[in-house]
Amino acid sequence: MDGRILIIGAGQAGMQIAVTLRDEGFAGEVTIVGDEAYGPYQRPPLSKAYLAGNSDVESLELRAEHFYTDQAIEMVTGETIVDVRLGEPGSSDAGIATAASGRTFEFDRLAITPGSTPRRLPIEGADLGGVLYLRSLADADALKKRWTAAENLVVIGGGFIGLEVAAAARTAGKTVTVIEVADRLMARAVSSTTSEFYHGAHERRGTRVVLEAQLARIVGDAGQVTGVELAGAGAAKGEFIPADIVMVGIGVIARGELADKLGLDNINGAIVVNEYAETSDPRIVAAGDAVLLPHPLGHDGQVRLESVQNAVDQAKVAAKTLIGIREVHRAVPWFWSDQGDLKLQIAGLSTGFDQIVERGSQESEKFSVLYYRDGRLLAIDAVNDPIDYIAVRRALDTGAEIPAELAADSSVALKTLITSREA
Amino acid sequence: MPEITYFSPDGTQTTLDARDGDSVMETAVKNGVKGIVAECGGACACATCHVYVDEAFTDAVGEPGDLEDDMLDGTAAERLPNSRLSCQLKMNPALNGLTVRIAPKQI
């Protein structure tokens, strides 16, 4: 099969689409266009190893430069696509994408992987120098630039990114305060059991955590941040917290401009796709953070997943769809978050659980939480416990079960309890 | 630059010059060596970069850390005494000539 495939978006998903096309034997033209100055790179280390100085730009590369040349994949960086016109349905007309620079790209089939962008904080002082977000390599470099001299760090948002940066800052000897509007940490990702453990663990290590906190404003001097002022109810009302850096990690939103331009069905910018990664226009596939996909384990509903695993697995499906291979993968969603010496590994989606089984001991900071619904295994949060994590991931992968009543006995290895699901 | 040779499950042999400090996994993935999945990108979070290290290099690579040791218990292919997660093997001049066999199944 030949023809020209254009991939708009040079993140993990965009790169994986190109790689899978070649792996599957596609011999036509493959072009990836990204708006950043670099080719595809790993984002997860930006809030972890990169910040701690344990990795550099070259080590973040997802593929060496020569790989793209060897595979005849054209990698175009630093170009923002501002307009896309599709060929007439049923005709052999090519589509044309136009970049802000005026450069054009003709294509026969199109994949879009727009990714996501940090949710901005709509508050007085949010545009001061030193109020930072963390999504791209450029963001990470801006953070690193201030890092060494900074003594006080305020993190707004107690999710993965915020807590990872908080842990790195505390490890580097800084005074750290985490401000969270919800009544618990990582509320969207884990149950209150795991939230409460992390709250305690971060405090034991010297990070201050303020829950149910409302911000009045960010305070600055000569254009640079000097601290934050709290508002609202609660003990901390009106308090001023000094800060050399304010790190904002309050979630991400899908980059929806392209979907709008192409008239694709989307919800708040998140592009709706089917199990084949097809958008509402069958000529276009989409993958990655900006996509709303059917639950990947066949449960009801649609989900938007912000993870490397989802970007990779969905990109493989999208690439196959582009070349006419109808194949749906059953993909177990999984996530991890390294917060200092606490490794959180999550497999499955715990949404809708009605039962929890806890194993190990929170005191020793090595434990896991298994989630069930109607007696059926849904997910695990594993803290410094890769053995339990792997067992659950494997069970979910094969559609097997780990009976809740047996899992409660921590002295028994989970992998010995995996049983096939009854028909 | 230290040299590594990979034996992929499909029988392919690839020899690469590694950047000092890059892991055995990173060197493979960046150059498109088949068989190493490395889903987590080197965070020791997924156990999908399992390799068998040539026994001549057992001493040079040292012992796996506790976390890696636990993760190795969950690999898809059989764990052997010379099993390692290649994301945890950082290349250095002492590992020049390292040979690894990529586990036949990663997921």
Side-chain angles (χ1 to χ4, degrees):
Chain A
M1 181 178 273
D2 54 7
R4 295 161 297 180
I5 293 179
L6 178 66
I7 302 161
I8 303 177
Q12 184 103 37
M15 183 217 62
Q16 187 63 52
I17 289 175
V19 169
T20 303
L21 285 172
R22 290 293 183 235
D23 282 349
E24 294 294 331
F26 176 71
E29 290 177 19
V30 176
T31 305
I32 307 179
V33 183
D35 54 10
E36 289 186 71
Y38 321 90
Y41 59 89
Q42 300 187 54
R43 288 180 200 276
L46 295 179
S47 52
K48 309 175 184 93
Y50 190 73
L51 208 50
N54 295 331
S55 69
D56 57 17
V57 175
E58 208 178 322
S59 72
L60 295 178
E61 272 182 348
L62 281 164
R63 294 289 185 278
E65 259 185 74
H66 73 82
F67 173 85
Y68 300 106
T69 323
D70 295 350
Q71 296 283 317
I73 294 167
E74 192 190 357
M75 176 65 64
V76 180
T77 54
E79 291 279 12
T80 306
I81 299 296
V82 291
D83 191 34
V84 181
R85 269 180 302 158
L86 295 161
E88 283 300 310
S91 82
S92 58
D93 294 352
I96 298 176
T98 308
S101 68
R103 186 168 169 188
T104 57
F105 302 89
E106 286 197 10
F107 61 87
D108 301 305
R109 273 157 290 165
L110 180 64
I112 60 172
T113 57
S116 55
T117 185
R119 188 185 297 282
R120 299 280 149 177
L121 191 64
I123 193 175
E124 181 189 337
D127 53 355
L128 287 163
V131 178
L132 304 173
Y133 296 81
L134 183 50
R135 177 73 192 160
S136 64
L137 194 45
D139 293 340
D141 285 334
L143 181 55
K144 260 179 123 168
K145 214 166 155 185
R146 288 179 176 260
W147 189 253
T148 314
E151 287 174 12
N152 298 301
L153 194 107
V154 167
V155 172
I156 299 174
F160 285 1
I161 290 281
L163 293 173
E164 287 171 7
V165 173
R170 188 199 53 235
T171 307
K174 305 181 193 310
T175 302
V176 185
T177 308
V178 174
I179 294 171
E180 168 59 49
V181 65
D183 61 356
R184 60 189 185 87
L185 298 175
M186 301 182 284
R188 283 193 312 132
V190 299
S191 67
S192 53
T193 306
T194 308
S195 284
E196 279 160 25
F197 165 78
Y198 269 84
H199 186 173
H202 279 282
E203 286 187 333
R204 282 196 293 282
R205 288 162 173 77
T207 294
R208 180 180 171 208
V209 178
V210 186
L211 298 176
E212 296 181 272
Q214 296 287 342
L215 276 175
R217 63 191 178 111
I218 299 176
V219 183
D221 181 35
Q224 298 299 310
V225 69
T226 56
V228 303
E229 192 182 303
L230 298 179
K237 179 176 179 173
E239 185 185 343
F240 174 80
I241 306 170
D244 313 299
I245 296 174
V246 171
M247 225 318 282
V248 183
I250 54 172
V252 297
I253 51 173
R255 292 178 61 177
E257 306 93 323
L258 208 52
D260 278 341
K261 194 147 286 201
L262 288 161
L264 303 177
D265 286 355
N266 70 88
I267 298 175
N268 296 326
I271 304 157
V272 178
V273 299
N274 65 13
E275 64 271 42
Y276 299 106
E278 288 170 317
T279 66
S280 55
D281 185 323
R283 295 169 293 179
I284 307 170
V285 296
D289 280 12
V291 156
L292 199 59
L293 70 157
H295 192 294
L297 293 179
H299 301 211
D300 289 340
Q302 296 166 306
V303 288
R304 191 172 72 79
L305 299 170
E306 298 157 17
S307 72
V308 170
Q309 167 273 321
N310 176 59
V312 172
D313 283 330
Q314 233 212 334
K316 289 178 181 170
V317 172
K320 288 178 184 175
T321 296
L322 279 172
I323 52 175
I325 304 171
R326 303 295 276 182
E327 198 176 292
V328 180
H329 278 290
R330 178 193 170 83
V332 176
W334 64 267
F335 313 83
W336 84 96
S337 175
D338 290 341
Q339 298 172 24
D341 57 348
L342 299 172
K343 179 181 278 293
L344 172 62
Q345 293 167 290
I346 299 174
L349 298 174
S350 58
T351 319
F353 71 89
D354 59 18
Q355 185 187 0
I356 273 181
V357 172
E358 202 177 321
R359 292 169 53 85
S361 92
Q362 289 197 15
E363 291 69 38
S364 66
E365 302 196 329
K366 183 180 166 101
F367 70 101
S368 64
V369 182
L370 276 66
Y371 298 90
Y372 291 87
R373 181 177 193 169
D374 299 330
R376 199 174 158 192
L377 180 65
L378 292 180
I380 184 172
D381 300 337
V383 178
N384 291 334
D385 194 347
I387 295 184
D388 277 9
Y389 162 75
I390 290 274
V392 170
R393 192 174 152 195
R394 189 132 297 157
L396 293 171
D397 247 335
T398 53
E401 281 296 339
I402 298 177
E405 63 280 10
L406 300 178
D409 182 354
S410 299
S411 68
V412 180
L414 276 188
K415 69 175 175 187
T416 65
L417 301 176
I418 299 175
T419 49
S420 299
R421 186 171 288 161
E422 284 170 40
Chain B
M1 290 203 286
E3 204 176 82
I4 319 175
T5 299
Y6 300 86
F7 289 94
S8 292
D10 66 359
T12 335
Q13 180 181 342
T14 316
T15 299
L16 297 170
D17 286 330
R19 196 170 71 119
D20 203 17
D22 270 6
S23 70
V24 171
M25 177 282 287
E26 284 166 334
T27 308
V29 169
K30 283 184 190 177
N31 292 286
V33 173
K34 302 266 189 263
I36 290 186
V37 177
E39 285 191 321
C40 77
C44 201
C46 71
T48 63
C49 64
H50 181 195
V51 298
Y52 304 109
V53 173
D54 184 285
E55 270 144 32
F57 285 86
T58 305
D59 289 341
V61 299
E63 295 287 316
D66 289 347
L67 181 66
E68 183 190 345
D69 190 49
D70 283 354
M71 294 293 288
L72 280 166
D73 279 342
T75 52
E78 188 190 2
R79 177 177 183 172
L80 299 174
N82 58 338
S83 283
R84 291 298 301 267
L85 295 182
S86 55
C87 69
Q88 301 302 302
L89 300 173
K90 298 279 182 207
M91 288 307 286
N92 63 67
L95 292 181
N96 185 33
L98 178 69
T99 309
V100 298
R101 196 156 51 82
I102 299 173
K105 194 172 186 308
Q106 298 287 0
I107 297 173

